[in-house]
Structure formats: C-alpha cells, structure tokens
Amino acid sequence: MSGTVTAVSSNGEYSFTKPNRDSITLLTGLGVEGDVHAGVTVKHRSRVAQDPTQPNLRQVHLIHEELFAEVGAEGFKVLPGDLGENITTRGTDLLALPVGTLLRIGDEAVLEVTGLRNPCLQIDHFQNGLLKQVVGRDEAGNVIRKAGIMSIVREGGTVRPGDLVHAELPAEPHRPLDRV
C-alpha cells in the first residue's frame, strides 16, 4: 500500500491549525522538529493534565487528504494543516492501517502508527458542525473517528510534499486502531 505526501505542517506554538512548510524534519523518538507536540512524553494539554509522564504516542499526526473532499461535500472548507496535522497524505487508507504499521516516507523517515486521533471540541471552534463530520457512528453504534492517525518517529528524516509513503504492515494478528 502506498501513497503520497501532499503537505507538511508544523507549529512551535499551541494553536489548532498548523502552517504549511516546504519541509519538516522528523526526529527519532521525539516528533517534528520545532513542533509544540514533539517530545518523549505527552504534550497535548489534556494528556499532560492527566499524567505528564505518559509516553508521547502522538508525536506526528497524519490526515488523509480525501477527508477534505468528504467534508467539503457537506459544505466545509478544510485545507492541509487546518486540523493540526503534521503530514497530509493522498492514496493511503490511513484509517484502515493496524497498530504497529510502519510508514516509510521519502528516503529516510519511518513512522510507527500508534492509533487514531481522538477529535475534540476545538474542531467545532474551527468550523461549527465539523466535529460531527469527523466523528460518527456506524450502523452497529460503534464510534467512527476520521480525523487522522497518530504515530511515533522510529527513524528521523526530512519529509516534503511529493514524497512517497509506503505502508509496511506488522505481523498478524493485526490490532485495529483505537484512540490514543
């Protein structure tokens, strides 16, 4: 399974959106160089409030660009970086990947998928009603989260728009993604 990076984003300050960059540098075991969420332990404010010593399983946030078209059909305008992601992709079904999938990006970088982003109310502050578009329920009543996946950096490197993304599935049995 492969795809392409369409945008990269980072922000050194807490903000919901992240500006697009020409490139980002992934640092092994830390995240995106200069990004507010980089670090060995949790950086998301809600997680820090619960337990600041938790390992940071949310070092790099990825979203599939196809989500923007899906919410666009419902009247929302979302662009790369708007939902706080670091890497926007096209052509890889990120939400279908199991925990432990390795994402090889460009020539050097390797991410390990840890789970799903758990969308919060900040999404509705960005655009009212958008949260219901990225979190819903299936026919069986199970929660469906569509706001991307989270990962940790296994091997650092520079990531740029246009880089290829290759997904390497872990050994079976696969564990489905859950929120992290």
Side-chain angles (χ1 to χ4, degrees), residues 44-79:
H44 287 78
R45 290 176 174 169
S46 63
R47 304 296 167 108
V48 170
Q50 292 173 359
D51 178 2
T53 66
Q54 295 176 71
N56 188 2
L57 300 178
R58 300 164 57 103
Q59 293 174 358
V60 181
H61 176 202
L62 298 95
I63 283 185
H64 52 296
E65 187 178 69
E66 292 85 351
L67 177 66
F68 304 156
E70 183 181 326
V71 300
E74 299 298 323
F76 296 92
K77 183 176 181 182
V78 180
L79 301 171

Side-chain angles (χ1 to χ4, degrees), residues 139-155:
E139 292 94 24
N142 300 309
V143 175
I144 303 295
R145 293 174 178 85
K146 299 188 274 186
I149 62 171
M150 307 308 285
S151 64
I152 57 175
V153 182
R154 287 293 178 208
E155 293 180 31

Side-chain angles (χ1 to χ4, degrees), residues 98-175:
V99 172
T101 297
L102 297 180
L103 296 174
R104 298 187 180 279
I105 305 175
D107 295 330
E108 307 168 309
V110 179
L111 299 176
E112 180 180 335
V113 176
T114 56
L116 294 167
R117 175 187 183 187
N118 191 30
C120 63
L121 282 176
Q122 288 183 14
I123 291 176
D124 268 351
H125 296 305
F126 173 67
Q127 287 185 43
N128 191 38
L130 185 57
L131 182 60
K132 286 186 178 182
Q133 299 299 313
V134 298
V135 178
R137 294 196 180 271
D138 63 16
E139 292 94 24
N142 300 309
V143 175
I144 303 295
R145 293 174 178 85
K146 299 188 274 186
I149 62 171
M150 307 308 285
S151 64
I152 57 175
V153 182
R154 287 293 178 208
E155 293 180 31
T158 302
V159 177
R160 295 177 179 84
D163 282 348
L164 294 180
V165 178
H166 297 284
E168 201 173 285
L169 300 179
E172 293 191 23
H174 293 159
R175 288 186 310 140

Side-chain angles (χ1 to χ4, degrees), residues 21-59:
R21 309 285 182 195
D22 292 332
S23 67
I24 56 173
T25 301
L26 302 182
L27 303 173
T28 304
L30 295 174
V32 178
E33 181 177 48
D35 192 80
V36 71
H37 293 110
V40 174
T41 57
V42 294
K43 301 301 176 199
H44 287 78
R45 290 176 174 169
S46 63
R47 304 296 167 108
V48 170
Q50 292 173 359
D51 178 2
T53 66
Q54 295 176 71
N56 188 2
L57 300 178
R58 300 164 57 103
Q59 293 174 358

Side-chain angles (χ1 to χ4, degrees), residues 5-10 19-24 86-87 159-161:
V5 173
T6 59
V8 293
S9 310
S10 67
N20 297 152
R21 309 285 182 195
D22 292 332
S23 67
I24 56 173
N86 301 110
I87 300 174
V159 177
R160 295 177 179 84

